[in-house]
Amino acid sequence: MFSKGIIRMAVGLMLVSLLTASMSRVDTQENIQDDVLRCGPQDVAVNGSFSDQKVLLTWEDEPLCSAMQDVLIYDIHILSTHDMKEVHTDEVVVRQDQTGSTHHWNWTSPLALECASYSLRIRCRYKNLTGRWSPSEAIPGVASSDKLQVFPKDRVVEVGSNFTFCCILGPGERFDQMSVTGYDKSDTIITKISAQVYTMTVHLHTPSPFSGNNVKCNNEYSAMVYVGYRPADHGLQCETDDLESVECRWTVGRDTHLYRKSQTVYEFLGRKYQILSVCIKSTRTCRLRQPFQVTVGERLWTLKAQNQLGMIELTEPADLTKRVHIQAPHHVKTSSVNARNASLEWQWTAPQYNNLSILCQIELSHNGVKDLKKVSGVGLNFAVLHSLIPNQMYTVQVQCGAKNAFWKWSNWSSITFQTMTDVPDPLDVWWMMEDNQTVITWKRPLSNHSHGQILDYEVTWGKTRNEAVSSTQHHVSLNLSTSEERVFSVTARNWNGSSSPSSVTVPRIHPAVNSSRITGNHGCFDLSWCPHPEAICGYVLDWRPAFDRGSLEWVKVPPGVTSARISSENFQDGRRYSLSIHACTQGAPVLLEKREGYVRETRIPVKQFKVLNKEPTGSDVRVSWAPIPARNQSAFIQGYILYYTNDARQKDPNNQVFNVSTGNPEASSLTAKNLQIGSYTFTVKALTSVGEGGDTTFTITINPSDKLYLVVTIAVVYVFLLIFLFILGYKYWTRIKEKVYPPIPKPVLPGDWLTLGDQSLPILSEKEEVVIPSLHRILIPVHTDTQPREGPFTMAPACPAYENHPEINDTATTLNACRSEVPPHPPRSLFVNPLYILPMPSEGESMQYQPLSELELESDLRLLSFQNAATPTVGSPPSERISRDYQPQPFSEPHVTSRDHHPEPILH
């Protein structure tokens, strides 16, 4: 029982404790909520800044806010007074450690505070609990105005911003328009706020001019706006020149365009500087210097640049002990000057330099030649200059820098001095042959070689011969024999003495070397040659005008070099030069090559041709000329061209200009052919690599007589040719006729119808038929006499050579009878045609013919030719001639048995 009672008591105590805890928790939550409702802002203050359109809000926390265990959040609302619409909302977070302090908040109004009235309220939030709004705080604007006004009056705005202006009208005024100079309507938006207030929002995309932009309402200038940029400087760099001050340089960025309203202000090491005092506008560089004791170690150097639109900070970490920019040496002077050396001295203005390791460089200038030397030392303040040129004016510049931690060279310090005089340097001597004279020449010594005024020169050759030359002359011509080699020496003398002799050896015989052409290159000659084994002291290149007595120039090339570019201030365009390449040997120089050319070819001047012949020949005109003298040629001639045109067609736009040309530079004539009658203008020109030149123009008239002469000449030639052909044809007419048109023999028909001599022609009846063989069956005449006969003519035998009667078989007897009856005289001085013996058939027979073979025909033709060549016997009586005329003979097959006669043809 006791134990159960204890248990019940314990359970009851637990229930009581839980109930008590629950009730205390409810009370705590109610207190916290009550505290939140009572926690909020107090001493709220609102201020408006009309200059920059900012609203400033300050407040403090209620004392109960300190009991809050977490952050507090304040809600801020800004309302427009005339329509109570929210214009802007924001919240401010207050941490627990900030509770009890004064809080600040600001807001920039998009509209000038004069243009509208605002009200502001604030409340507190804690977790999910929200406090009450504070009473509204009014931000009053300009309620009314007795005249037209634009707000804000003056404002600085960044390029690219949208800015709003308002126009407050006066009593009874009506709104017309608003504008900004430099902008058009497309850049602006007009809004009506009330009957008396209008706003204009403009996109300011262009920087303002020097005086800014005017804002107008109803065409009245009422406000100004300045549109520009915030600072954009860069490139900060700091250094020291005396270890007791710091100097910084930087570059100004783009132009802010805020010339009058908001200049940039710089701040360095706690001091402020205006941009006009530290910057150079033309170079856009800035520089400021401020005392500062430089110590070893790196430091962050900071520069601030600020205007109304913003601020930029430039920083650079640097140890200035390693950035010592030494000042230029002061009071530089020469302590001693000799002919070939001098001593310089200078001073330092910073005493710290006496313990600083210094490096200096010294630049010496004379006659455009510069030489740079370097010296160093601790606290260096002097230098000795060696290898100077006597009697020479020098300009010396000195600049220095820290040697161990070199940063920059100092500025230059300069001085001018002149060295003392000395004996001249050896001369540069050369030679040439001119008009069978030996010319020894030398270059005029410059001031850096003469070392004082030259008094005279002395030329020596042989053992005892010498010649003095005045100081104004730089060559000597000697009439000496060229049969031996000579050595010439030349010395120059001034007040200090004579120079060392310079020698040149003139060879005994100048070898003949053919010249080759060379083309200039940009006003110079580029030469190259093959190395010579004896050129132990190099080569000598000389040149002079090819046709004038110009001065000889030369240059000496060291051994091993086989090319050079030749240039001279005396070179002239269009002038031919002769160049020579010599090998420098132990003895006389050896001529290797000769060249001729122009540094730059030019067009040959006009009227350079001397025309020798220009007379027309018929319809052709041959123009010949004399060669242009080489001294008148300003370029190498590559050929010639002859232009010609008809003068009568000069005004005709279709009139053509004809030409003939040749690529032979040695040509001396050209011919224009097939010209019409009239006047022609001819122009002959020379062809060169730079175009045509040497134009020479003349006129030639081709008369009708020239054409008539040509026609007559051609006619006479044709007549003589025809006469020659006629004579030649007449002389050889017989042969030509036999070859071209041989005589055709007349056929002899059989029967008694044809009577020769005292024989009569037979009378044929109508029923009788005469059979004539076809033309291809030609019977070969029988040659009856092989012996030539006397007399001027040759006749065929009158006796029948062919018999048509086959009964007669004594061929030999027939032939002999024919041969004995040759008439003494022919009836006519004509060749007798060969006989055609036509075999006639006997009674009861028909005549048949067999064609001859080609061999038989050829043999028969030979016999026919031989018979035609036979001549009749002179003195035969007419009766015999008549009896020996052609007689028809019967067909037979004769056989020749006599050796004294030719065999008769066998007819098959």
Side-chain angles (χ1 to χ4, degrees):
M1 293 290 294
F2 180 77
S3 61
K4 291 182 179 179
I6 294 173
I7 293 172
R8 290 175 180 173
M9 186 180 294
V11 171
L13 291 173
M14 291 177 62
L15 292 173
V16 170
S17 62
L18 290 174
L19 181 61
T20 304
S22 176
M23 293 178 64
S24 63
R25 191 180 305 113
V26 171
D27 293 340
T28 303
Q29 290 179 353
E30 291 178 354
N31 292 335
I32 292 174
Q33 183 176 2
D34 187 57
D35 290 343
V36 169
L37 294 176
R38 287 181 294 172
C39 174
Q42 65 178 4
D43 299 331
V44 178
V46 178
N47 295 313
S49 176
F50 291 90
S51 62
D52 53 5
Q53 302 179 193
K54 285 186 177 182
V55 175
L56 304 177
L57 173 64
T58 60
W59 75 94
E60 294 181 357
D61 302 314
E62 290 283 353
L64 292 177
C65 295
S66 59
M68 301 296 105
Q69 301 298 320
D70 204 346
V71 298
L72 295 175
I73 299 175
Y74 288 95
D75 293 325
I76 303 172
H77 287 193
I78 298 179
L79 306 176
S80 175
T81 303
H82 73 279
D83 57 4
M84 298 307 294
K85 292 183 179 180
E86 286 188 356
V87 177
H88 181 72
T89 61
D90 200 358
E91 64 181 23
V92 177
V93 178
V94 178
R95 297 191 306 271
Q96 187 177 7
D97 59 343
Q98 296 175 339
T99 304
S101 62
T102 302
H103 307 297
H104 302 273
W105 176 84
N106 65 77
W107 169 68
T108 301
S109 171
L111 190 63
L113 299 181
E114 296 90 343
C115 300
S117 297
Y118 297 106
S119 61
L120 183 148
R121 61 183 181 175
I122 184 172
R123 70 181 178 181
C124 176
R125 282 188 296 119
Y126 179 77
K127 295 184 178 180
N128 296 328
L129 300 177
T130 303
R132 296 182 298 272
W133 287 106
S134 66
S136 296
E137 300 289 338
I139 308 172
V142 178
S144 61
S145 176
D146 56 352
K147 63 178 181 179
L148 186 148
Q149 295 189 73
V150 176
F151 296 100
K153 292 297 183 182
D154 294 315
R155 191 54 51 88
V156 177
V157 183
E158 189 169 4
V159 176
S161 302
N162 293 328
F163 197 79
T164 303
F165 297 90
C166 72
C167 176
I168 301 177
L169 302 176
E173 288 187 291
R174 298 181 59 184
F175 178 78
D176 184 15
Q177 63 177 349
M178 291 184 68
S179 62
V180 179
T181 57
Y183 297 90
D184 51 28
K185 291 183 179 181
S186 62
D187 299 320
T188 61
I189 298 176
I190 307 297
T191 304
K192 180 180 180 181
I193 302 299
S194 65
Q196 297 298 113
V197 180
Y198 288 82
T199 63
M200 176 184 65
T201 302
V202 58
H203 179 59
L204 302 171
H205 55 77
T206 304
S208 297
F210 179 80
S211 58
N213 299 89
N214 292 290
V215 182
K216 298 183 291 183
C217 182
N218 289 350
N219 291 326
E220 294 184 12
Y221 294 97
S222 303
M224 296 293 297
V225 62
Y226 301 90
V227 185
Y229 299 97
R230 63 184 63 194
D233 298 52
H234 60 276
L236 178 66
Q237 189 177 83
C238 298
E239 62 186 22
T240 182
D241 61 359
D242 57 1
L243 300 175
E244 293 181 349
S245 63
V246 60
E247 183 178 282
C248 295
R249 291 181 173 86
W250 69 94
T251 303
V252 177
R254 61 187 175 188
D255 195 347
T256 63
H257 291 271
L258 304 178
Y259 308 107
R260 299 175 57 185
K261 188 65 177 177
S262 179
Q263 292 288 342
T264 304
V265 177
Y266 296 97
E267 182 179 349
F268 181 72
L269 294 177
R271 296 183 61 180
K272 293 185 177 181
Y273 304 87
Q274 294 292 330
I275 186 173
L276 297 178
S277 62
V278 297
C279 298
I280 302 174
K281 185 177 180 180
S282 60
T283 60
R284 307 195 65 80
T285 58
C286 303
R287 171 181 174 271
L288 60 85
R289 182 186 184 91
Q290 188 169 328
F292 188 84
Q293 189 65 39
V294 177
T295 58
V296 177
E298 187 175 280
R299 175 190 173 100
L300 185 63
W301 306 94
T302 303
L303 174 72
K304 295 180 181 180
Q306 184 176 7
N307 63 11
Q308 290 188 20
L309 298 177
M311 181 187 69
I312 186 173
E313 285 190 0
L314 307 179
T315 60
E316 184 194 28
D319 181 1
L320 295 190
T321 59
K322 297 180 180 179
R323 290 191 175 185
V324 180
H325 188 188
I326 293 180
Q327 299 175 4
H330 287 260
H331 305 297
V332 180
K333 63 179 181 178
T334 56
S335 57
S336 64
V337 178
N338 299 316
R340 300 183 183 274
N341 56 68
S343 298
L344 294 179
E345 293 181 357
W346 59 86
Q347 297 178 358
W348 300 113
T349 57
Q352 293 83 355
Y353 294 173
N354 294 328
N355 300 321
L356 189 66
S357 181
I358 298 175
L359 172 67
C360 296
Q361 62 180 6
I362 303 171
E363 183 183 78
L364 294 89
S365 302
H366 62 94
N367 291 334
V369 179
K370 294 184 178 181
D371 186 21
L372 191 65
K373 300 180 180 181
K374 292 185 178 181
V375 292
S376 62
V378 177
L380 182 69
N381 59 0
F382 75 96
V384 178
L385 307 178
H386 300 281
S387 302
L388 302 181
I389 299 174
N391 194 36
Q392 183 67 36
M393 185 65 69
Y394 279 93
T395 298
V396 181
Q397 296 188 106
V398 183
Q399 64 177 180
C400 303
K403 181 179 180 181
N404 296 333
F406 182 81
W407 170 240
K408 290 180 180 179
W409 289 110
S410 69
N411 294 331
W412 288 104
S413 297
S414 60
I415 187 177
T416 302
F417 66 90
Q418 184 173 3
T419 55
M420 304 298 290
T421 61
D422 200 353
V423 296
D425 290 341
L427 300 173
D428 188 356
V429 182
W430 192 234
W431 69 279
M432 65 177 175
M433 295 298 297
E434 188 176 70
D435 298 336
N436 296 326
Q437 287 186 325
T438 302
V439 180
I440 307 300
T441 181
W442 54 91
K443 293 183 179 180
R444 182 193 302 270
L446 302 176
S447 60
N448 58 336
H449 296 291
S450 62
H451 308 324
Q453 182 180 359
I454 297 296
L455 301 179
D456 56 22
Y457 302 95
E458 186 178 34
V459 181
T460 305
W461 69 97
K463 295 183 179 180
T464 59
R465 305 186 65 179
N466 59 72
E467 183 170 338
V469 181
S470 67
S471 59
T472 59
Q473 188 175 350
H474 302 95
H475 67 276
V476 61
S477 299
L478 303 173
N479 290 317
L480 301 176
S481 174
T482 58
S483 60
E484 59 178 331
E485 189 176 279
R486 286 185 174 85
V487 178
F488 294 84
S489 298
V490 185
T491 59
R493 186 174 65 91
N494 64 8
W495 293 108
N496 296 299
S498 297
S499 66
S500 301
S502 299
S503 300
V504 61
T505 302
V506 178
R508 180 175 52 187
I509 298 176
H510 191 68
V513 177
N514 293 330
S515 296
S516 60
R517 288 187 178 183
I518 185 173
T519 303
N521 183 16
H522 297 92
C524 303
F525 288 113
D526 291 326
L527 290 176
S528 60
W529 59 92
C530 298
H532 194 275
E534 298 182 14
I536 59 174
C537 53
Y539 301 89
V540 181
L541 314 178
D542 64 31
W543 63 92
R544 63 178 303 182
F547 306 110
D548 302 324
R549 290 178 173 270
S551 60
L552 178 69
E553 298 182 74
W554 67 93
V555 64
K556 295 181 178 179
V557 180
V561 179
T562 57
S563 63
R565 167 164 284 195
I566 305 301
S567 62
S568 172
E569 60 182 7
N570 297 324
F571 278 153
Q572 298 178 9
D573 296 343
R575 191 176 191 184
R576 189 181 297 187
Y577 289 90
S578 176
L579 301 91
S580 302
I581 304 174
H582 303 264
C584 180
T585 67
Q586 289 183 345
V590 177
L591 178 62
L592 303 180
E593 297 180 30
K594 294 188 71 175
R595 309 278 180 87
E596 281 193 0
Y598 303 86
V599 291
R600 187 177 288 105
E601 292 183 316
T602 60
R603 291 181 181 271
I604 299 178
V606 299
K607 298 182 180 180
Q608 295 297 319
F609 287 93
K610 181 180 180 182
V611 180
L612 301 179
N613 181 26
K614 54 182 179 180
E615 294 299 327
T617 303
S619 62
D620 298 343
V621 174
R622 182 175 180 271
V623 178
S624 61
W625 58 85
I628 299 177
R631 66 173 55 253
N632 295 344
Q633 298 179 18
S634 58
F636 288 116
I637 295 178
Q638 300 175 355
Y640 300 92
I641 186 168
L642 178 66
Y643 292 97
Y644 57 95
T645 181
N646 196 329
D647 294 344
R649 300 180 180 178
Q650 287 184 355
K651 297 182 180 180
D652 186 358
N654 297 323
N655 186 23
Q656 296 183 358
V657 178
F658 300 92
N659 68 80
V660 290
S661 61
T662 176
N664 181 14
E666 305 297 330
S668 60
S669 65
L670 286 171
T671 301
K673 298 182 178 181
N674 301 324
L675 303 183
Q676 301 296 326
I677 295 174
S679 177
Y680 286 82
T681 297
F682 287 81
T683 302
V684 60
K685 299 182 180 182
L687 300 177
T688 67
S689 62
V690 293
E692 303 169 358
D695 312 22
T696 301
T697 302
F698 50 90
T699 302
I700 297 178
T701 300
I702 300 178
N703 298 317
S705 59
D706 300 327
K707 283 283 187 177
L708 181 61
Y709 173 79
L710 177 62
V711 172
V712 171
T713 301
I714 295 174
V716 170
V717 170
Y718 277 125
V719 169
F720 276 101
L721 181 61
L722 291 174
I723 293 174
F724 173 76
L725 292 177
F726 178 78
I727 295 174
L728 186 64
Y730 180 80
K731 181 177 181 181
Y732 296 99
W733 173 249
T734 303
R735 296 183 182 180
I736 293 173
K737 183 177 180 182
E738 290 178 357
K739 295 295 184 182
V740 177
Y741 186 71
I744 301 175
K746 296 180 180 180
V748 177
L749 301 177
D752 297 331
W753 59 276
L754 177 61
T755 302
L756 298 177
D758 49 5
Q759 295 183 9
S760 61
L761 295 174
I763 299 174
L764 301 177
S765 64
E766 296 180 358
K767 297 181 179 180
E768 292 181 348
E769 296 180 357
V770 179
V771 179
I772 301 175
S774 59
L775 295 179
H776 75 276
R777 182 62 176 168
I778 301 176
L779 301 181
I780 307 302
V782 178
H783 192 279
T784 58
D785 194 356
T786 60
Q787 298 296 329
R789 301 186 184 273
E790 298 179 0
F793 299 100
T794 303
M795 296 292 294
C799 62
Y802 297 94
E803 297 291 340
N804 294 328
H805 302 283
E807 292 82 4
I808 301 175
N809 296 325
D810 191 0
T811 306
T813 305
T814 303
L815 295 176
N816 292 330
C818 291
R819 194 176 298 113
S820 62
E821 295 176 1
V822 177
H825 299 286
R828 306 180 293 276
S829 297
L830 296 174
F831 292 102
V832 179
N833 290 330
L835 300 179
Y836 286 84
I837 302 175
L838 304 177
M840 302 299 295
S842 60
E843 296 181 1
E845 295 182 5
S846 62
M847 188 168 57
Q848 298 180 354
Y849 298 96
Q850 297 181 359
L852 297 177
S853 65
E854 293 182 0
L855 180 60
E856 293 172 344
L857 180 60
E858 181 179 359
S859 175
D860 296 341
L861 290 176
R862 284 197 301 268
L863 292 176
L864 177 62
S865 175
F866 181 80
Q867 180 180 353
N868 289 337
T871 56
T873 305
V874 180
S876 300
S879 60
E880 292 182 5
R881 292 198 305 270
I882 296 173
S883 63
R884 295 189 58 130
D885 284 340
Y886 295 98
Q887 298 292 335
Q889 300 292 332
F891 180 82
S892 63
E893 296 182 358
H895 297 277
V896 180
T897 58
S898 176
R899 298 181 179 178
D900 299 331
H901 297 86
H902 294 282
E904 296 295 330
I906 299 174
L907 183 62
H908 298 282

